[in-house]
């Protein structure tokens, strides 16, 4: 009797440790995938770094796979410009929306607006791309500048601005809401108006969280692929202004790093494929920098309480 | 006596608040007009045969979307089959085991695992596509197929599943665990019989979020799924999901009406996903599942 | 008794359908310390927050009756000017996550400075009045959150003084502090009352007896609404209370 009990006890303990190991294994799968992605992309990109060279790859403005010319600078410029455009167009709205939801909106308005913004965060990028193609591109085409086909940085920036709006708005709203109520009360009790309280106490206290929201939005913008392919024109060219007005640079067609990979990977071989993996490496590094700074910002906000 | 009059300050406040109102209304308006436009253009194109016939190819994008629905379903199921056990396992480990493991071998391993989850969550989807293409399509010779695509898709949603599982487990009161352990149950028994059952609604939310991601994702599948519009017959078949179909219709055949119609179906799916999540989390707050 | 600085007349407050304060009429004498005592949940904080309309921030709050400041109905005053005249110190110290200087300068900056006054001088004066100056004068740019709890509370008092209020409301200002920090605050109150009218909520009977000139005793009735049971000079309340419930409470006979 005692024998069977202790045997069962041993069995139970064995199962317990075995399950612990199994679960540890699955926890390590993510890290394995990260490692695999890193190793794989690097390994496949290696020939490009070796044969083309990091500097030529990053600064070359010509991308002509037929002639084995692989410069990513135009695509880097495309990604950076379109992200910049999206931030300029989308950020004021997104932050305004966040502040409104967290601090100004009456309860019932909040109850309607917040879930709809969250819902919109889940709408597929292909739908935004489609809307861009059908509605925004023809609109932009109406701007009378030579060579303007509608497809280009401006249309892409507008699409992207709409896409990052929900992300930035919801993360920034959370940051504002986590500002302790005592700060607001303290300020109001000193005779500050709600707006003064918001501007001088609440927003400064939520600063790092709001900044992290912006950086997160940046990351999403840099990583967006499909919607960009659909509206940016995909031409491999250095974006340039068509007239003396420097803003017409945004009417130029362009290509993003992400689009470069997606459009060409399925038929690329040899050095061409390697150069596309190198594009992936560049994108990966760019986004890692962005995400790491978002994490650092959030952590510093947390520390200050 | 004061250099700033209350009336002036009130005026500033009124101005600032109106700007905030405007920005919120504008945001909603912009977002709603995207969804509204696609719905209004798309819904009139919908009819029963649109759902029951496959696309027939051709330059005007004739036919319906039946095969793309099938491909989407296959992909969702296959992705979850891979990602759910791994993700839930990882989440359980990180919450239920990692805290109590203090020895020198485990600590760095746990830190590495957490780093992995966080990094993975930030990787842009096209990188998963690139990786999936290189590893599954090419190196492992799965070709452009549901198998390649679902493996790449699983990598994509893994962090979502892990994080929601972690959240769900953290929400289970510590007293449940203590109660079970004090009765002599092992840790695994406690997890299996007490902790996991009360975390089911939360974990389900993670699964549904994953489903949403797979339905909306296009870039990853663009480079791993091949894009055939025929109905898939095996896990090694090529195919196209609904989202991918929208892309092909818009970019290649320029069949915008059909693209809008498919887009409307996609939006409806996402709304359904959101409603499902809300329903589950309402149950979560209402009674904590069956407990 | 001199002309009251503030007074309430038949003042009732409702949280939604729940009546938290029931028809309170009471006078706050000027340049005195008035203590509000009573068991937990009887509405002390609610009553205190009525004097600067902080309850308005809570949705669903409704009031009837009158609250007067120097004979003027506070509901007809602009709320911003009211709160400038009636300052408040909270139970838990709540400095802003800014420097010591910026905390004290916050009020003057939003309201505008009096002519001929410099911000630095006003900050120094306020910190001195709050008996904090000597401890912080070497580094005013230090974060306010790095101060000790007692120092933070005195900083909050300095912050309230810097807008030059007439009345200061304090909700258990020492309950989160250790005995020494508490003593410092109590000493500070004695010097402040020369220039300000102070209303203080406290749970601590000895504290009320030690620091206050007048005491109000609140108690909830059968429907849990707070009523003013007795109000008078502190000495009289603690030695010869007129109401038996007051006597029971101060002698610790009920909770
Ligand atoms: N925001 C609120 N909403 C609804 N009811 C409230 C709210 N704040 C307080 N109450 C209720 O009003 C009554 C008085 O509360 P109040 O905080 O004024 O009591 P108090 O005397 O300050 O108590 P304590 O000594 O514990 O601080 C209590 O019954 C409380 O539950
Ligand atoms: Mg209280």
């Amino acid at each position: 009797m005692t024998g069977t009990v202790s045997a069962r006890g041993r069995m139970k303990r064995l199962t317990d440790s075995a399950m612990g190991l199994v679960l540890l294994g699955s926890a390590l799968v993510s890290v394995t995938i990260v490692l695999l992605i890193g190793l794989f992309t690097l390994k496949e990109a290696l020939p490009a770094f070796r044969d083309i060279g990091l500097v030529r790859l990053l600064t070359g403005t010509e991308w002509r796979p037929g002639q084995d010319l692989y410069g990513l600078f135009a695509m880097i410029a495309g990604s950076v410009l379109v992200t910049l455009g999206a931030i300029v167009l989308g950020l004021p709205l997104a932050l305004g929306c966040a502040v409104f939801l967290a601090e100004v909106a009456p309860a019932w308005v909040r109850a309607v607006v917040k879930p709809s913004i969250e819902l919109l965060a889940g709408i597929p990028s292909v739908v935004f791309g489609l809307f861009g193609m059908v509605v925004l591109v023809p609109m932009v085409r109406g701007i009378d500048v030579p060579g303007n086909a509608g497809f280009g940085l401006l249309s892409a920036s507008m699409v992207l601005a709409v896409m990052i709006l929900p992300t930035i708005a919801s993360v920034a709203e959370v940051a504002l809401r986590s500002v302790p109520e005592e700060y607001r009360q303290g300020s109001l009790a000193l005779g500050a108006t709600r707006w003064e309280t918001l501007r001088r106490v609440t927003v400064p206290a939520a600063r790092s969280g709001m900044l992290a929201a912006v950086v997160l939005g940046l990351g999403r913008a840099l990583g967006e692929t499909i919607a960009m392919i659909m509206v940016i024109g995909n031409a491999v060219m250095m974006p340039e202004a068509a007239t003396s007005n420097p803003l017409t640079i945004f009417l130029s067609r362009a290509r993003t790093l992400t689009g470069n990979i997606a459009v060409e990977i399925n038929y690329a071989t040899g050095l061409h494929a390697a150069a596309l993996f190198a594009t992936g490496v560049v994108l990966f590094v760019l986004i890692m920098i962005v995400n790491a700074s978002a994490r650092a910002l959030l952590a510093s906000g947390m520390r200050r309480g | 006596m004061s250099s700033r009059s209350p009336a002036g300050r009130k005026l500033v406040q009124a101005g600032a608040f109106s700007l905030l109102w405007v920005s919120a209304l504008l945001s909603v308006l912009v977002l709603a007009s995207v969804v509204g436009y696609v719905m209004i253009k798309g819904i009139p194109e919908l009819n029963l045969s649109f759902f029951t016939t496959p696309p027939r190819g051709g330059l005007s994008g004739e036919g319906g979307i039946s095969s793309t629905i099938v491909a989407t379903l296959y992909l969702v199921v296959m992705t979850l089959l891979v990602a759910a056990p791994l993700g839930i396992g990882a989440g359980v480990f990180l919450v239920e085991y990692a805290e109590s493991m203090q020895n020198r071998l485990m600590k760095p391993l746990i830190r590495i695992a957490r780093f992995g989850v966080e990094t993975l969550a930030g990787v842009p989807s096209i990188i998963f596509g690139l990786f999936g293409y290189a590893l599954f399509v090419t190196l492992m010779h799965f070709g452009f197929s549901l198998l390649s695509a679902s493996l790449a898709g699983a990598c994509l949603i893994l962090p979502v599943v892990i994080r929601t599982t972690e959240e769900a487990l953290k929400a289970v009161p510590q007293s449940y665990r203590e109660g079970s352990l004090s009765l002599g149950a092992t840790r695994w028994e406690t997890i299996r019989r007490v902790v996991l059952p009360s975390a089911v609604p939360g974990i389900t939310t993670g699964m549904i979020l994953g489903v949403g991601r797979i339905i909306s994702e296009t870039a990853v599948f663009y480079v791993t799924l091949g894009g055939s519009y025929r109905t898939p017959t095996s896990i090694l078949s090529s195919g196209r999901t609904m989202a991918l179909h929208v892309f092909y219709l818009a970019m290649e055949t320029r069949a915008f009406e059909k693209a809008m119609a498919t887009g409307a179906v996609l939006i409806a799916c996402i709304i359904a996903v959101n409603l499902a999540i809300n329903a589950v989390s309402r149950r979560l707050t209402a009674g904590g599942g069956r407990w | 008794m001199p002309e009251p600085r503030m007074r309430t007349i038949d003042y009732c407050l409702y949280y939604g359908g729940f009546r938290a304060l029931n028809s309170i009429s009471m006078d706050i004498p000027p340049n005195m310390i008035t203590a509000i005592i009573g068991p937990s949940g009887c509405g002390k904080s609610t009553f205190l927050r009525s004097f600067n309309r902080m309850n308005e921030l809570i949705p669903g709050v409704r009031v009837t009756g009158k609250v007067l400041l120097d004979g003027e109905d506070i509901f007809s005053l602009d709320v911003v000017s009211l709160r400038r005249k009636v300052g408040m110190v909270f139970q838990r110290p709540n400095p802003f996550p800014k420097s010591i200087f910026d905390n004290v300068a916050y009020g003057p900056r939003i309201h505008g400075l009096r002519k001929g006054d410099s911000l630095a001088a006003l900050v120094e004066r306020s910190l001195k009045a709050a008996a904090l100056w000597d401890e912080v004068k070497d580094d005013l740019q230090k974060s306010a959150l790095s101060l000790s709890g007692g120092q933070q509370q005195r900083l909050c008092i300095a912050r309230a003084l810097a807008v030059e209020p007439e009345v200061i409301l304090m909700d258990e200002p020492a309950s989160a502090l250790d005995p020494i920090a508490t003593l410092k605050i109590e000493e500070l109150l004695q010097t402040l009352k020369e220039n300000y009218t102070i209303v203080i909520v406290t749970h601590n009977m000895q504290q009320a007896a030690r620091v206050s000139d007048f005491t109000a005793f609140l108690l909830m009735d059968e429907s849990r609404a707070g009523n003013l049971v007795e109000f008078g000079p502190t000495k009289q309340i603690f030695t010869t209370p007129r109401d038996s419930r007051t006597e029971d409470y101060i002698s610790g006979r009920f909770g």
Side-chain angles (χ1 to χ4, degrees):
Chain A
M1 179 73 189
T2 32
T4 51
V5 167
S6 78
R8 270 189 63 192
R10 211 174 312 131
M11 196 58 216
K12 279 168 107 179
R13 244 168 304 149
L14 214 64
T15 325
D16 195 38
S17 357
M19 279 319 294
L21 283 179
V22 169
L23 294 174
L24 170 63
S26 48
L28 289 176
V29 165
S30 331
V31 103
T32 316
I33 295 174
V34 172
L35 280 182
L36 275 179
I37 290 181
L39 282 180
F40 233 88
T41 321
L42 269 179
K43 178 187 142 273
E44 299 284 324
L46 210 61
F49 290 121
R50 200 182 48 222
D51 297 353
I52 306 165
L54 183 62
V55 176
R56 287 245 313 276
L57 204 56
L58 289 180
T59 58
T61 52
E62 305 262 11
W63 175 275
R64 291 209 192 105
Q67 301 163 29
D68 268 356
L69 278 175
Y70 301 103
L72 286 175
F73 193 70
M75 272 77 90
I76 296 176
S79 278
V80 170
L81 279 176
V82 78
T83 302
L84 195 77
I87 291 288
V88 168
L89 294 175
L91 196 59
L93 274 190
L95 292 184
C97 204
V99 172
F100 173 80
L101 284 177
E103 304 285 331
V104 181
W108 68 270
V109 175
R110 196 183 129 78
V112 176
V113 173
K114 197 169 148 56
S116 26
I117 299 250
E118 267 159 18
L119 170 73
L120 291 158
I123 298 291
S125 23
V126 74
V127 170
F128 286 104
L130 181 62
F131 179 83
M133 282 180 90
V134 178
V135 179
L136 297 179
V137 167
M139 238 165 70
V140 172
R141 198 178 292 139
I143 302 174
D144 189 20
V145 163
N148 172 21
F151 290 95
L153 286 167
L154 178 59
S155 302
S157 296
M158 293 202 290
V159 168
L160 209 48
V162 181
M163 293 181 67
I164 60 173
L165 200 158
T167 313
I168 300 182
S170 20
V171 180
E173 197 248 4
V174 171
L176 283 162
R177 290 223 136 208
S178 60
V179 172
E181 190 54 32
E182 286 97 63
Y183 291 169
R184 293 187 193 90
Q185 298 240 339
S187 169
L188 291 170
L190 288 167
T193 62
R194 276 170 70 205
W195 166 245
E196 287 159 350
T197 302
L198 182 55
R199 195 170 78 83
R200 290 168 183 256
V201 176
T202 318
V203 168
R207 196 179 37 214
S208 57
M210 292 179 74
L211 215 61
V214 176
V215 178
L216 235 59
L218 270 176
R220 270 208 69 178
L222 282 174
E224 179 52 40
T225 311
I226 282 295
M228 293 301 96
I229 299 180
M230 292 171 86
V231 293
I232 206 168
N234 295 321
V236 185
M237 53 186 277
M238 271 308 285
E240 53 186 34
T243 70
S244 59
N245 180 350
L247 277 181
T248 54
I249 194 173
F250 278 97
L251 294 173
S252 171
R253 283 180 302 155
R255 180 184 281 196
T256 60
L257 290 166
T258 53
N260 195 39
I261 300 171
V263 170
E264 297 189 2
I265 186 66
N266 283 351
Y267 59 83
T269 52
L271 193 58
H272 183 195
L276 291 173
F277 278 94
T279 314
V281 173
V282 172
L283 181 67
F284 193 77
V285 170
L286 218 66
I287 296 209
M288 281 306 118
I289 294 172
V290 165
N291 284 345
S293 44
R295 266 209 297 280
L297 283 168
L298 278 174
S300 79
M302 225 91 97
R303 259 202 308 284
R304 282 192 292 109
Chain B
M1 96 176 191
S2 98
S3 55
R4 307 184 60 206
S5 78
R9 289 162 58 199
K10 285 268 176 57
L11 210 65
V12 171
Q13 159 156 312
F17 279 14
S18 351
L19 275 181
L20 290 173
W21 270 95
V22 168
S23 67
L25 287 180
L26 216 60
S27 306
V28 172
L29 201 74
V30 164
L31 290 163
S33 62
V34 174
V35 173
Y37 186 87
V38 174
M39 289 301 238
I40 288 169
K41 293 276 169 179
I43 288 173
E45 302 280 322
L46 297 180
N47 52 44
L48 190 63
S49 72
F50 185 74
F51 290 97
T52 54
T53 55
R56 280 198 297 279
L59 281 179
S60 55
E62 294 100 343
I65 56 168
S66 70
S67 65
T68 70
I69 298 178
V70 174
T72 308
L73 281 177
Y74 271 133
L75 203 59
V76 164
V77 171
M78 289 173 65
T79 308
L80 279 187
L81 278 180
V82 180
L86 285 176
I88 297 175
V92 169
F93 180 81
L94 288 173
V95 174
E96 303 292 328
Y97 283 80
E99 308 288 276
S100 60
M101 292 188 165
Q102 294 300 331
N103 68 57
R104 259 188 305 152
L105 180 70
M106 284 309 231
K107 265 194 145 167
L109 270 184
I110 290 162
R111 246 212 316 280
I112 290 173
R114 281 207 185 282
F115 171 79
V117 178
E118 283 189 29
T119 312
L120 213 53
V123 172
S125 61
I126 188 63
I127 302 277
F128 288 105
L130 192 60
F131 165 70
Y133 172 75
L135 181 61
F136 306 126
V137 176
T138 314
L139 192 79
M140 298 177 90
H141 298 291
F142 295 156
F144 293 110
S145 65
L146 286 171
L147 183 59
S148 301
S150 58
L151 289 171
C155 299
L156 179 76
I157 65 166
L158 199 54
V160 179
V161 177
I162 295 177
R163 283 179 165 184
T164 39
T165 303
E166 281 189 85
E167 295 302 315
L169 293 172
K170 281 182 192 154
V172 175
Q174 198 57 31
S175 59
Y176 290 12
R177 296 186 184 88
E178 285 161 2
S180 165
L181 291 171
S182 72
L183 293 171
T186 63
R187 184 158 39 186
W188 169 242
E189 285 164 343
T190 304
I191 292 169
R192 195 167 67 92
R193 293 172 192 272
V194 180
V195 180
L196 279 181
S198 38
V200 163
I203 295 175
T204 314
T205 310
M207 301 293 130
I208 305 175
L209 272 172
V211 172
R213 278 296 295 269
I214 296 301
I215 294 177
S216 347
E217 182 54 44
T218 315
V220 172
F221 304 137
Y222 180 58
V223 297
T224 54
L225 194 50
S228 156
Y229 54 74
R230 298 211 166 71
T231 309
T233 51
S234 84
I235 58 171
L236 288 175
S237 299
S238 165
R240 56 167 81 170
T241 61
M242 288 187 281
L244 203 47
H245 189 50
V246 175
F247 180 75
Y248 282 121
L249 286 175
M251 292 296 283
E252 291 183 356
T253 51
R254 307 260 153 181
F256 289 118
E257 294 78 25
K258 296 276 181 187
M260 291 285 174
T262 315
V265 177
L266 265 182
I267 293 176
C269 289
I270 295 303
I271 293 178
V273 162
N274 264 49
L275 289 178
I277 290 177
N278 284 348
V280 172
S281 44
R282 240 199 317 281
R283 263 198 59 196
L284 191 66
T285 45
R290 253 160 292 147
W291 278 79
Chain C
M1 195 155 131
E3 187 66 12
R5 164 87 357 116
M6 296 197 79
R7 70 192 312 177
T8 66
I9 302 167
D10 293 333
Y11 181 73
C12 303
L13 184 140
Y14 304 81
Y15 288 113
F18 168 64
R19 186 206 301 246
L21 297 175
N22 183 24
S23 191
I24 298 187
S25 298
M26 184 174 133
D27 293 350
I28 308 289
N31 295 79
M32 304 260 181
I33 298 177
T34 303
I36 301 174
I37 60 170
S40 192
C42 70
K44 302 180 296 294
S45 300
T46 305
F47 187 48
L48 190 75
R49 292 160 60 92
S50 298
F51 290 105
N52 65 346
R53 290 172 58 184
M54 286 299 274
N55 287 320
E56 277 173 25
L57 303 174
I58 301 165
V61 165
R62 199 162 49 78
V63 301
T64 62
K66 278 197 171 135
V67 182
L68 306 179
L69 171 66
D70 296 323
E72 248 189 300
D73 185 351
I74 66 167
F75 295 101
S76 67
L77 284 173
D78 171 60
V79 69
V80 165
S81 333
L82 168 70
R83 289 187 186 144
R84 182 176 186 179
K85 288 186 193 150
V86 184
M88 181 160 212
V89 175
F90 296 80
Q91 176 168 2
R92 285 223 325 249
N94 60 347
F96 303 130
K98 299 171 182 278
S99 70
I100 294 170
F101 186 91
D102 287 341
N103 262 278
V104 183
Y106 181 82
R109 277 183 177 143
I110 54 174
H111 294 297
L113 274 172
R114 202 190 291 240
K115 265 218 178 62
D117 210 347
S118 91
L119 197 56
L122 179 56
V123 168
E124 178 174 342
R125 204 164 65 227
S126 307
L127 283 167
K128 277 180 175 158
L132 187 60
W133 175 251
D134 290 332
E135 291 158 62
V136 300
K137 62 174 182 242
D138 298 325
D139 191 0
L140 292 178
Q141 293 313 317
K142 205 164 66 165
S143 164
L145 302 182
S146 67
L147 297 174
S148 74
Q151 289 173 325
Q152 287 189 7
Q153 193 62 303
R154 275 177 285 146
L155 178 67
C156 291
I157 294 175
R159 190 177 68 182
L161 296 179
V163 302
E164 307 182 321
E166 297 166 16
V167 182
I168 303 174
L169 311 171
M170 299 185 171
D171 193 350
E172 305 188 45
S175 68
L177 307 180
D178 65 51
I180 296 184
T182 302
L183 201 66
K184 277 213 162 122
I185 301 269
E186 287 182 9
E187 284 168 4
L188 174 59
L189 289 180
Q190 295 308 321
T191 60
L192 288 179
K193 81 174 186 188
E194 290 170 17
N195 298 313
Y196 304 94
T197 302
I198 295 171
V199 187
I200 178 173
V201 167
T202 176
H203 253 128
N204 180 332
M205 226 63 60
Q206 283 85 33
Q207 187 172 61
R210 268 196 310 269
V211 304
S212 72
D213 305 296
F214 284 83
T215 297
F217 174 51
L218 296 191
L219 188 62
M220 47 224 170
D221 58 21
E222 314 77 53
S223 64
R224 297 189 40 245
N227 283 277
L228 178 61
V229 172
E230 191 165 353
F231 175 61
T234 300
K235 214 186 212 139
Q236 176 246 309
I237 296 274
F238 278 87
T239 52
T240 52
R242 278 193 285 270
D243 196 299
S244 63
R245 291 170 294 176
T246 314
E247 189 169 0
D248 288 347
Y249 183 70
I250 55 177
S251 57
R253 247 168 279 162
F254 72 85

